Amino acid sequence: MGKRTLALCAALVVAVLTATVWWLRPSSEEGIAIPERVCGGTFSGKKLEPLLSGGEGKVESNLVRNFPGSRRMSDVPVCELTAKGRSVSFRVDYSGFPNDPLAELEKENKFVAELGPARGTYDEFNGTVHFGIPCPTAEGPDNTLFLNVGASKARDADAAGMAKLAELTGYAARTLAQNVYKCKGADELPEGPVHIRRGEGSR
């Protein structure tokens, strides 16, 4: 067999292998492109990828009241990202009211959520964590940063979706409390996901 024939055979093998790898590559590489930064530059797009994966088309972003907003209590800034079949949303409410005691949350709700000094609930039907983070000021020692993080992939108490939502909520809580609102005591929020567990209630 001549050198030219060998070269042609080698080229053919490379072409076949390349085509095979292209066709068999993971579907995640074919998925939607998520911007590097989202929600007005507040969050890393990679942190949202587990909950947006499986969606189709372009990721659409909707910012309401200049998310992430400010400490003005009249503001309720919202950031929502959607792709066909998937959505993730964030809502922030800075309140002069304290968060409910953990014992009360446990008694009244089916699921409670905790992250160090922060606490809240998980709504299985909407796939949303409702979370209160202590964010005091000199004028308002009981002020609370209320954060809602929701995802279509975390509805109906799906274990995998809940785990991904818990991870995202922990990240969002630390980012907003430490870097954006600069809440006193925010360094007490531990790394890792929000801990979601069963409560005693039914709602």
Side-chain angles (χ1 to χ4, degrees):
M1 187 179 290
K3 292 183 178 179
R4 185 174 181 182
T5 303
L6 287 173
L8 287 173
C9 289
L12 181 60
V13 169
V14 170
V16 170
L17 288 174
T18 301
T20 302
V21 170
W22 189 89
W23 281 107
L24 295 179
R25 73 190 189 279
S27 58
S28 60
E29 295 182 10
E30 301 173 1
I32 55 177
I34 302 173
E36 184 177 345
R37 305 294 301 181
V38 297
C39 296
T42 307
F43 304 125
S44 164
K46 288 184 178 180
K47 296 291 187 179
L48 279 69
E49 188 172 1
L51 288 163
L52 287 173
S53 64
E56 299 176 6
K58 182 181 178 182
V59 175
E60 301 289 342
S61 177
N62 181 35
L63 299 182
V64 180
R65 286 175 288 277
N66 196 32
F67 188 94
S70 67
R71 285 181 182 249
R72 290 178 299 181
M73 295 181 189
S74 59
D75 286 349
V76 185
V78 174
C79 172
E80 184 176 28
L81 295 106
T82 57
K84 186 178 179 181
R86 294 285 184 267
S87 66
V88 176
S89 63
F90 304 87
R91 190 184 77 191
V92 176
D93 183 11
Y94 187 74
S95 170
F97 298 102
N99 200 2
D100 292 331
L102 181 60
E104 185 175 325
L105 292 174
E106 289 177 326
K107 185 177 180 180
E108 297 180 354
N109 294 276
K110 191 173 181 179
F111 294 97
V112 293
E114 296 178 83
L115 185 71
R119 55 188 180 269
T121 62
Y122 166 69
D123 184 334
E124 62 183 310
F125 299 109
N126 294 324
T128 303
V129 174
H130 308 277
F131 210 55
I133 307 164
C135 196
T137 64
E139 299 79 19
D142 292 327
N143 285 5
T144 304
L145 178 67
F146 287 103
L147 170 65
N148 286 3
V149 183
S152 59
K153 216 170 181 178
R155 293 172 183 160
D156 302 320
D158 173 77
M162 285 174 65
K164 293 172 183 176
L165 180 64
E167 188 70 41
L168 179 61
T169 303
Y171 163 73
R174 288 186 296 274
T175 300
L176 290 170
Q178 295 172 357
N179 304 334
V180 178
Y181 285 82
K182 302 194 182 299
C183 301
K184 183 179 179 181
D187 55 344
E188 297 178 23
L189 295 173
E191 291 296 319
V194 166
H195 178 51
I196 299 176
R197 58 181 173 80
R198 278 275 186 176
E200 301 171 10
S202 59
R203 70 182 189 187

